[in-house]
Amino acid sequence: MTSLLLTNADILVTMDAARREIPGGAVYVEDNRIVAVGPAAEVPTTADTVLDMRGHAVMPGLVNTHHHMYQTLTRAVPAAQDAELFGWLKALYPIWARLTPEMVRVSTQTAMAELILSGCTTSSDHLYIYPNGCRLDDSIEGAEEIGMRFHAARGAMSVGESAGGLPPDSVVEDEAAILKDTERLIARWHDPSRFSMRRIVVAPCSPFSVSRELMRDAAILARRHGVSLHTHLAENDNDVAYSLEKFGMTPADYAADLGWTGPDVWHAHCVKLDEAGIALFGRTGTGVAHCPCSNMRLASGIAPIRRMRCEGVSVGLGVDGSASNDGSHMLGEARQAMLLARVGFGPAAMTAREALEIGTLGGAKVLNRDDIGALAPGMAADIVAFDLRGLEMAGALHDPVAALTFCAPQKVAWSIIDGRIVVREGRLTTLDTTALAARHNALAAALVRGEA
Ligand SMILES: [Zn+2]
């Protein structure tokens, strides 16, 4: 057994049941589990490793509930800079069709490095395109190396243009093969245990790229294996119009009809979820991944997060794929969620503390986990620390917790994931980020130019 103590934090944000914020707080960890949390005097004072957190805010690691990490290779692509969802996808599909296994692994690590340095300790990723021998295993192996807690979603597209779908036929897969590969991945990688570092999620891409049958069969398969379900839903007006025209129902009714509601299901975006859909999701415990930057970038609209939370819908945050946000900064995403809620629904629509809560506890609930998202005895040791002494926070230290979201988003000084120090004094300990970015840039240039 090894022990770790973070002590004397200027402020310790617990996100526990009492939502305690403890000046001079400490967290004591044994192996990968939090054993004690409280004022420094009430927590064991020695450990194998002691980190003095004076000058820092310490909080639970943020949880990212929606991403397409491979898209870090296609940030700011000129042809996709100024389009809405469907036009943006059509510009990018032919480029993504050239992805290779190395590109998947390297882009996963790039996105994860960026996420970790922004305060995120658990992430989901939705990989739904598998050309040229790419497999979900490529991203899982990348995640193992960097040391991030990972919910790997086996995405899929099966309805190409010739069958009335959006993607070109060259990037869709056979439905039986999709289900077979999903079962292979669950058998090989899924770990349902408490403190699990790796879970598999069943995740057909969207209503406009897979059939009703695949959605239904995916839900049956997921329930048989006790794994979660994830897809895109009600992202913008065109997405809703497609659902009404092709299926004769709203996105929420379509989801309900195919078994896609419940605490083991979460849907990305839901910008245009109607009142009946919000009530349905609240009633059934269905989760939503809110992606404010992406929704702004693609002009999709403003998701009714206040309404959702009032109706008891579980809401987490997602940075979304890096081709529709171009950044993977989780603390920045919490800030954007707060700001966008206010644009849509007034200054009381979301507080700074609520944005942090959605980004931690909210994300944990959406991923159907009760072992992450808070600092309390018995929880996983996923802990981050932000240095409060820099220029960004100067003048805001009368309320350092609110300052985390009101001030310009920072990088973490420290990150502990599953009890392991993954960021030390602002530097990732598990990978060389300079070499990673250089390799990523070479692969991105080849991919976008078509020389892969
Ligand atoms: Zn997405």
Side-chain angles (χ1 to χ4, degrees), residues 227-396:
V227 304
S228 286
L229 285 159
H230 180 49
T231 192
H232 294 89
L233 202 76
E235 182 163 349
N236 70 5
D237 289 330
N238 291 337
D239 192 5
V240 175
Y242 184 97
S243 181
L244 292 170
E245 189 197 321
K246 294 276 177 186
F247 311 123
M249 28 185 136
T250 65
D253 286 343
Y254 182 68
D257 193 46
L258 297 170
W260 278 73
T261 53
D264 56 347
V265 183
W266 86 102
H267 296 279
H269 303 299
C270 298
V271 173
K272 300 291 179 178
L273 195 65
D274 59 8
E275 275 297 318
I278 293 171
L280 170 75
F281 279 23
R283 209 163 54 236
T284 53
T286 309
V288 168
H290 175 42
C291 308
C293 284
S294 171
N295 297 159
M296 294 164 78
R297 157 73 140 97
L298 297 174
S300 300
I302 306 176
I305 300 304
R306 175 83 277 129
R307 285 289 309 135
M308 290 183 195
R309 284 177 54 86
C310 286
E311 292 295 319
V313 178
S314 301
V315 179
L317 294 178
V319 297
D320 201 2
S322 289
S324 68
N325 173 347
D326 313 73
S328 296
H329 200 301
M330 269 305 288
L331 187 63
E333 205 67 33
R335 180 175 195 248
Q336 206 61 258
M338 175 184 76
L339 298 177
L340 184 59
R342 292 170 179 215
V343 174
F345 309 104
M350 191 182 292
T351 67
R353 283 174 169 78
E354 187 176 16
L356 291 178
E357 180 173 318
I358 293 171
T360 51
L361 278 178
K365 184 105 185 282
V366 162
L367 296 186
N368 211 9
R369 295 189 74 131
D370 61 4
D371 57 347
I372 58 171
L375 303 182
M379 300 293 279
D382 289 1
I383 308 161
V384 296
F386 292 93
D387 193 330
L388 299 171
R389 297 165 295 189
L391 290 173
E392 296 90 344
M393 302 289 231

Side-chain angles (χ1 to χ4, degrees), residues 73-230:
L73 294 156
T74 54
R75 285 168 160 163
V77 167
Q81 283 179 11
D82 304 314
E84 62 78 53
L85 177 66
F86 285 10
W88 170 88
L89 280 167
K90 286 188 163 205
L92 289 166
Y93 283 137
I95 298 175
W96 296 339
R98 298 192 287 262
L99 273 177
T100 65
E102 186 194 7
M103 289 175 183
V104 170
R105 184 174 52 77
V106 171
S107 59
T108 298
Q109 292 189 331
T110 297
M112 286 188 169
E114 199 185 0
L115 283 169
I116 290 169
L117 288 166
S118 75
C120 182
T121 51
T122 297
S123 185
S124 182
D125 186 49
H126 190 189
L127 181 63
Y128 55 79
I129 187 163
Y130 294 90
N132 311 311
C134 293
R135 300 181 312 158
L136 190 61
D137 311 62
D138 302 320
S139 28
I140 294 169
E141 284 158 11
E144 303 262 292
E145 205 179 337
I146 202 166
M148 185 166 220
R149 204 178 293 281
F150 190 30
H151 286 225
R154 204 305 182 181
M157 299 192 290
S158 65
V159 179
E161 268 172 333
S162 66
L166 196 73
D169 290 357
S170 62
V171 296
V172 304
E173 296 176 86
D174 170 72
E175 297 195 344
I178 291 165
L179 294 167
K180 191 168 169 228
D181 189 52
T182 305
E183 290 208 289
R184 175 189 70 79
L185 288 158
I186 294 168
R188 177 164 184 207
W189 296 109
H190 183 68
D191 174 5
S193 67
R194 192 167 175 85
F195 306 146
S196 167
M197 288 293 283
R198 192 177 54 234
R199 292 205 176 144
I200 298 294
V201 178
V202 181
C205 185
S206 62
F208 54 83
S209 60
V210 303
S211 71
R212 291 180 61 94
E213 291 70 33
L214 184 65
M215 291 291 285
R216 185 200 57 210
D217 292 349
I220 293 167
L221 186 155
R223 302 243 157 77
R224 193 163 67 233
H225 293 282
V227 304
S228 286
L229 285 159
H230 180 49

